[in-house]
């Protein structure tokens, strides 16, 4: 048990303290992934909150052995993907919204005017291009290059072979370069 | 690899979540004093969700709410006075996890003033389900926020105090602390008196209604049923509304 990371150690010790560790260690990657998948600040908050809540409820039912074996980051992102896909399915039953007319609120409310103006030239533009990628390419690019996951972990989260992850990433990047005119 | 401007810009799309995100997921808790000793209280971003006495707080909270619980350094503003007085004065409650009937019941209980008691049947009527007296008892037994929703002020129509989430002894202590004259109520119940009427105002009340407490002995008349009081020419008090329960 000595080789366990602090998150799993804390989860084994006390579920609530363990959750605080889990949240502290992975809040950035979960929220960034949620934001770049959904493209909306409010949706990202809902997605990330729901992910952590479901994770907590799941781990409350796990025995010590299962917690000790838990790969917390891909496990959390798998939960996020499941929620995202389920709500995507629910949305696809309704008529699709016209993306060009919907206001996109990707701006962090804490951000100052200058910072936000600066980011609009970089972040928002690129985030907008991400939204134009086919779903499987966007997922792969976001997990690989925004959330900085290794290919093997992305394969686990998306439940596809590593080779497929690589090809989705490279096709996604190629498309982004074409769309954005980035060399 | 970081020389690639596209990859660097993608990496720049990673953001930290807003500070408030954790409060949408986890509840906070703290131990606070109350008239019946130390209580553990949990709250969410919406308001106070759970008041617990004794051991097993975190396990009970988890079983009931399925939400992580984190220690807080100070209670929400107004919590300690609200526990002491039973008046919320703007303190928000989070009753989201409850069913509609239980919420209606708790809202009805909030209408019982400090220092007074009402029968279960009165709560059932006020909650819009006059027949559901036993269900009211069950709903109150599962009141997640005792003291803040003063379910200790709901008593049996035969004059007995009845059950309480934190046990009958705590119910008695709370009622005595807020000035309910339990000895007098018990005496009236032994004489089978559950309503008090005044022949100067022509009004009949529950015995703990502040209007009933002002009736001088010479003008006070006790009744076993509201029907009997009405037959004798008394009208139900508009403050304590004894006519609300199915009679």
């Amino acid at each position: 048990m000595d080789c366990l990371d602090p998150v799993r150690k804390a989860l084994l010790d006390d579920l609530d303290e363990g959750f605080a560790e889990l949240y502290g260690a992975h809040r950035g990657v979960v929220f960034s992934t949620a934001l770049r998948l959904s493209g909306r600040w409010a949706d990202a908050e809902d997605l990330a909150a729901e992910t952590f809540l479901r994770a907590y409820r799941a781990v409350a039912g796990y025995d010590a052995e299962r917690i000790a074996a838990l790969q917390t980051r891909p496990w959390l992102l798998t939960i996020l993907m499941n929620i995202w896909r389920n709500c995507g399915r629910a949305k696809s039953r309704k008529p699709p919204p016209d993306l060009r007319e919907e206001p996109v609120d990707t701006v962090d409310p804490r951000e100052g005017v200058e910072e936000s103006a600066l980011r609009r030239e970089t972040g928002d533009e690129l985030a907008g291009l991400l939204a134009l990628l086919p779903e499987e390419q966007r997922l792969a690019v976001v997990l690989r290059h925004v959330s900085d996951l290794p290919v093997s972990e992305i394969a686990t989260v998306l439940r596809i072979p590593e080779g497929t992850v690589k090809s989705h990433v490279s096709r996604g990047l190629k498309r982004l370069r074409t769309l954005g005119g980035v060399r | 690899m970081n020389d690639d401007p596209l990859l660097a810009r993608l990496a720049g799309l990673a953001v930290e979540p807003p500070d408030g995100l954790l409060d949408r997921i986890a509840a906070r808790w703290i131990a606070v004093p109350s008239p019946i000793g130390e209580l553990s209280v949990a709250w969410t971003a919406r308001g106070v969700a759970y008041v617990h006495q004794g051991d097993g707080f975190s396990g009970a909270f988890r079983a009931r709410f399925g939400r992580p619980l984190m220690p807080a350094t100070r209670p929400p503003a107004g919590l300690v006075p609200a526990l002491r007085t039973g008046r919320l004065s703007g303190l928000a409650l989070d009753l989201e996890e409850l069913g509609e009937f239980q919420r209606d019941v708790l809202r009805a209980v909030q209408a019982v003033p400090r220092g007074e008691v009402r029968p279960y049947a009165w709560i059932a009527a006020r909650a819009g389900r006059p027949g559901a007296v036993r269900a009211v008892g069950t709903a109150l037994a599962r009141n997640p926020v005792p003291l803040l929703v003063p379910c200790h002020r709901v008593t049996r129509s035969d004059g007995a105090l009845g059950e309480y989430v934190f046990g009958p002894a705590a119910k008695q202590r709370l009622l005595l602390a807020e000035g309910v004259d339990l000895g007098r109520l018990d005496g009236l119940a032994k004489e089978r008196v559950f309503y008090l009427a005044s022949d100067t105002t022509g009004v009949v009340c529950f015995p703990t209604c502040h209007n009933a407490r002002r009736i001088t002995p010479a003008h006070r008349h006790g009744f076993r049923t509201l029907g009997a009081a009405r037959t004798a020419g008394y009208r139900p008090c508009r403050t304590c509304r004894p006519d609300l329960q199915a009679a």
Side-chain angles (χ1 to χ4, degrees):
Chain A
M1 294 262 174
D2 285 343
C3 56
L4 282 182
D5 62 278
V7 174
R8 279 181 287 175
K9 217 177 248 169
L11 279 171
L12 280 168
D13 224 36
D14 178 291
L15 198 53
D16 291 306
E17 281 170 32
F19 179 83
E21 290 282 334
L22 183 78
Y23 182 81
H26 300 306
R27 63 182 180 198
V29 72
V30 168
F31 185 73
S32 297
T33 308
L35 179 63
R36 299 314 170 191
L37 280 183
S38 67
R40 284 160 196 284
W41 194 269
D43 287 351
E45 285 190 34
D46 290 348
L47 263 171
E50 187 63 24
T51 299
F52 279 110
L53 210 49
R54 284 200 199 177
Y56 178 81
R57 287 170 186 171
V59 83
Y62 290 176
D63 57 24
E65 204 181 330
R66 188 154 180 198
I67 293 174
L70 203 58
Q71 299 297 318
T72 50
R73 186 171 65 177
W75 172 69
L76 276 172
L77 290 170
T78 303
I79 296 172
L80 173 66
M81 286 305 152
N82 289 339
I83 300 169
W84 170 247
R85 287 194 182 115
N86 287 338
C87 74
R89 242 174 255 142
K91 273 178 190 161
S92 67
R93 281 189 221 111
K94 297 176 205 152
D98 187 342
L99 287 174
R100 281 159 303 184
E101 284 186 21
E102 283 210 6
V104 180
D105 54 343
T106 50
V107 178
D108 181 345
R110 291 169 303 185
E111 203 168 49
V113 177
E114 262 176 64
E115 284 169 300
S116 121
L118 181 71
R119 211 169 53 98
R120 205 159 323 177
E121 289 168 18
T122 54
D124 275 2
E125 184 204 335
L126 186 56
L129 295 181
L130 271 176
L132 299 173
L133 295 184
E135 177 98 351
E136 72 268 18
Q137 290 178 16
R138 178 154 43 108
L139 291 177
V141 169
V142 166
L143 290 172
R144 180 69 194 93
H145 291 294
V146 178
S147 308
D148 198 27
L149 260 64
V151 170
S152 60
E153 218 173 294
I154 301 171
T156 308
V157 171
L158 298 180
R159 289 190 217 101
I160 52 176
E162 292 191 20
T164 314
V165 173
K166 284 182 195 159
S167 92
H168 284 329
V169 170
S170 79
R171 279 188 208 156
L173 289 178
K174 195 173 165 194
R175 183 129 186 198
L176 282 178
R177 287 183 213 281
T178 315
L179 288 167
V182 183
R183 303 287 151 241
Chain B
M1 204 161 105
N2 286 338
D3 295 340
D4 185 331
L6 176 61
L7 299 190
R9 283 172 60 197
L10 280 169
L13 290 181
V15 282
E16 277 295 297
D19 294 337
L21 184 64
L22 185 56
D23 288 320
R24 288 186 48 183
I25 304 162
R28 305 276 171 178
W29 82 275
I30 201 163
V32 286
S34 87
I36 50 168
E38 191 177 83
L39 298 174
S40 302
V41 178
W43 65 95
T44 69
R46 285 188 291 261
V48 177
Y50 192 51
V51 174
H52 181 95
Q53 191 185 40
D55 295 333
F57 166 63
S58 64
F61 181 85
R62 188 179 306 144
R64 201 158 168 165
F65 295 88
R67 224 171 245 289
L69 200 51
M70 300 193 168
T73 48
R74 69 181 66 150
L79 174 65
V80 174
L83 286 170
R84 198 175 53 234
T85 63
R87 287 190 198 99
L88 293 180
S89 314
L91 180 75
L93 300 179
D94 178 0
L95 305 177
E96 290 279 315
E97 313 270 336
L98 305 181
E100 198 182 335
F101 174 68
Q102 197 177 7
R103 264 206 300 272
D104 289 345
V105 167
L106 297 187
R107 221 169 278 134
V109 171
Q110 286 179 300
V112 185
R114 181 176 163 81
E116 301 186 18
V117 296
R118 298 286 182 274
Y120 288 93
W122 186 88
I123 299 292
R126 220 185 142 102
R129 294 266 303 275
V133 181
R134 287 184 72 91
V136 164
T138 309
L140 295 187
R142 285 191 55 80
N143 177 8
V145 284
L147 277 76
L148 300 177
V149 169
C151 57
H152 59 275
R153 294 179 196 151
V154 184
T155 56
R156 286 171 44 155
S157 49
D158 65 3
L161 290 188
E163 292 299 320
Y164 185 53
V165 205
F166 298 153
K171 190 173 196 171
Q172 188 176 15
R173 263 176 84 183
L174 284 167
L175 290 174
L176 287 172
E178 55 186 55
V180 179
D181 190 341
L182 291 179
R184 175 171 160 272
L185 274 186
D186 198 44
L188 289 171
K190 285 206 173 79
E191 295 166 35
R192 312 296 290 151
V193 169
F194 302 111
Y195 302 92
L196 291 177
S198 156
D199 60 24
T200 47
T201 60
V203 167
V204 58
C205 298
F206 284 120
T208 55
C209 174
H210 68 93
N211 290 329
R213 283 181 281 167
R214 286 190 323 210
I215 309 170
T216 53
H219 296 283
R220 188 164 54 210
H221 303 275
F223 291 93
R224 182 172 176 177
T225 65
L226 186 62
R230 276 181 151 146
T231 307
Y234 294 99
R235 73 156 175 84
C237 171
R238 292 198 182 99
T239 307
C240 67
R241 298 295 308 273
D243 54 322
L244 259 186
Q245 57 194 327

